[in-house]
Amino acid sequence: MTHDLVIRSLRTVLPDGERPAAVAVRDGRVAAVADHDAPLPAKTEVSLGTTALLPGLVDTHVHINEPGRTEWEGFASATRAAASGGVTTLIDMPLNSVPPTVDPDALAAKRKAAEQNCAVDVGFWGGAVPGNVPHLRALHDAGVFGFKCFTSDSGVPEFPPLTHEGMREAFQEIASFDGLVIVHAEDPAALGTPSDGGYAAFLASRPPSAERLAVERVIRLAEETGVRAHILHLSAADCLIPLAEAQAAGLRVTAETCPHYLTLSAEEVGGPSYKCCPPIRDAANRHELWLGLAAGVISCVVTDHSPCTPELKRGDFATAWGGVSSLQLGLPAVWTAARARGHGLPAVVRWMSEAPAALVGLPKGGIAPGCDADLVAFDPDATFTVDPSSLHHRHPVTPYEGRTLTGAVTATWLRGTPTGDTPAGRLLSRTETP
């Protein structure tokens, strides 16, 4: 049998670890995984040598902002950046687009904007906001992968937060069809107003207690309603204890963190390109996040790519837009820090590919027969200095500017086909997932 593609690497990251292997692809899926030198007839063969072969990353936390705020980002630019950074699947957040994805008509508008504009596969989250509980089941049936809600101000008026009672009502409805709720967890009563425009005041205005109070509320509501809940962009290590206790008790509560919380620290924050909510905390907190990740309390590492126009990132920390642009840089940023802490490529793949794919139930995230042949050639020893002009994001604003990172993506395949200038990404739907 002749395969469409065979890729051989001495460092293939498989579900059971890293080893030399040959990966055969047919009809867009992994057909076989064999010994490195096994005879596998193919139309095309690629030999990577010591360059690693990884499954494509699955980034379940990306703000693309189209339609409505396409001047901030868009499907074409975001997915080009994703492919360049080894991300072959992303799930788009229901805000900051206009309209937000809070009903089936808005989802249809989002899908129309994305059609034939995506270099990688794209799925969609729905939103849970005040008054839209009657739309949640219809959105679920239309294929969204879950529902995002805020416990505090989202930053845009068209996506308001839920009160405690609003959360209970939404959680009960989502639990009734065994959906997934994903939560921006910061308690509004614990948030303050920065006393000036500096980072210290901004950080003090969003203390770890704000995250912990909101996380504990989500855990209580998950226990009460039975809903499957996921905590977004965890930045406060104080939350690890209640999360670990909830998981040990059998509650279906998971959590993610982001590259900027694992690789940056408050001690080194520069200008507003570092601003995000919740904030980047100190180095001691960062160390505890790594321990929580290694222990499995945190399961996913995803970017929370949240860009805006350069004008909105100017000024001070009190007024600038809160969001970090890192979609193209997440893999090398995390690998640089993980490697220094003694973690190998299989751990990074577990956090950035396997676990996010499992969160949303996609046949991706691993190199195994039957999985989509979304593959990445990654040189784990290459180093480079981040030059914003080389980024494919719509606006080259990133806190990683000038940093030297280790690890470079040298090729990306989407279902066995190299990503290129012709958009070949598919629009994904939960209802079409095996």
Side-chain angles (χ1 to χ4, degrees):
M1 181 179 295
T2 300
H3 299 285
D4 299 323
L5 171 68
V6 168
I7 305 176
R8 302 179 192 272
S9 169
L10 294 170
R11 299 190 64 179
T12 306
V13 180
L14 302 170
D16 60 354
E18 179 185 323
R19 61 180 171 85
V23 178
V25 176
R26 189 169 59 252
D27 298 329
R29 297 210 168 191
V30 176
V33 178
D35 291 340
H36 181 271
D37 297 324
L40 293 168
K43 298 174 184 176
T44 302
E45 181 165 320
V46 176
S47 181
L48 297 178
T50 57
T51 295
L53 183 65
L54 317 180
L57 270 58
V58 178
D59 193 337
T60 53
H61 197 148
V62 179
H63 294 267
I64 293 179
N65 308 331
E66 186 177 8
R69 290 192 176 96
T70 311
E71 70 275 13
W72 292 19
E73 188 65 282
F75 287 102
S77 55
T79 58
R80 281 197 305 270
S84 182
V87 177
T88 52
T89 303
L90 58 84
I91 311 296
D92 174 57
M93 282 292 166
L95 72 164
N96 303 298
S97 55
V98 181
T101 315
V102 295
D103 58 46
D105 288 343
L107 175 62
K110 178 85 75 166
R111 292 179 67 91
K112 183 177 180 181
E115 285 175 356
Q116 300 182 340
N117 280 320
C118 298
V120 301
D121 287 356
V122 175
F124 304 95
W125 295 109
V129 297
N132 86 320
V133 167
H135 295 299
L136 297 180
R137 184 179 290 269
L139 273 169
H140 178 76
D141 292 344
V144 299
F145 286 89
F147 302 89
K148 181 175 187 177
C149 69
F150 280 74
T151 61
S152 57
D153 180 39
S154 73
V156 291
E158 67 274 3
F159 202 97
L162 293 175
T163 64
H164 182 73
E165 287 306 313
M167 289 174 65
R168 176 182 283 111
E169 185 182 6
F171 283 23
Q172 288 173 334
E173 175 67 7
I174 295 166
S176 73
F177 49 76
D178 198 29
L180 171 65
V181 62
I182 60 175
V183 185
H184 179 123
E186 289 183 285
D187 190 288
L191 298 177
T193 300
S195 58
D196 58 44
Y199 190 70
F202 171 70
L203 183 61
S205 74
R206 306 188 90 96
S209 60
E211 282 191 77
R212 179 156 180 166
L213 287 168
V215 166
E216 289 173 339
R217 179 188 300 178
V218 171
I219 290 170
R220 289 194 298 270
L221 286 173
E223 183 174 23
E224 176 186 331
T225 64
V227 78
R228 185 162 60 111
H230 181 73
I231 303 299
L232 298 168
H233 45 48
L234 188 75
S235 85
D238 285 359
C239 299
L240 293 172
I241 291 174
L243 281 168
E245 291 173 345
Q247 292 165 0
L251 296 181
R252 297 189 298 170
V253 180
T254 54
E256 69 186 39
T257 192
C258 304
H260 41 279
Y261 300 131
L262 296 172
T263 64
L264 307 176
S265 69
E267 293 89 341
E268 60 188 316
V269 163
S273 64
Y274 289 79
K275 181 182 177 180
C276 54
C277 301
I280 295 165
R281 305 191 187 277
D282 62 30
N285 178 89
R286 179 180 63 188
H287 176 69
E288 294 298 319
L289 289 179
W290 275 104
L291 295 179
L293 186 61
V297 180
I298 302 170
S299 56
C300 303
V301 179
V302 291
T303 62
D304 188 12
H305 176 69
S306 185
C308 64
T309 61
E311 291 74 21
L312 292 176
K313 271 295 188 183
R314 294 178 183 141
D316 58 30
F317 283 97
T319 59
W321 174 257
V324 170
S325 295
S326 61
L327 184 56
Q328 188 172 331
L329 300 171
L331 176 56
V334 171
W335 171 239
T336 301
R339 177 174 173 160
R341 292 173 179 268
H343 299 288
L345 284 173
V348 173
V349 164
R350 183 169 66 251
W351 301 327
M352 302 189 78
S353 189
E354 179 184 330
L359 177 71
V360 293
L362 287 170
K364 298 176 180 286
I367 301 177
C371 287
D372 286 355
D374 300 340
L375 303 166
V376 175
F378 182 68
D379 184 343
D381 299 317
T383 60
F384 68 99
T385 300
V386 176
D387 177 1
S389 68
S390 69
L391 301 178
H392 295 284
H393 312 152
R394 184 176 293 279
H395 302 291
V397 177
T398 176
Y400 294 100
E401 179 177 357
R403 289 179 177 266
T404 298
L405 301 179
T406 301
V409 172
T410 60
T412 304
W413 293 266
L414 182 66
R415 288 182 298 278
T417 300
T419 56
D421 295 333
T422 302
R426 295 177 180 172
L427 302 188
L428 305 175
S429 171
R430 181 197 54 77
T431 59
E432 298 168 3
T433 300

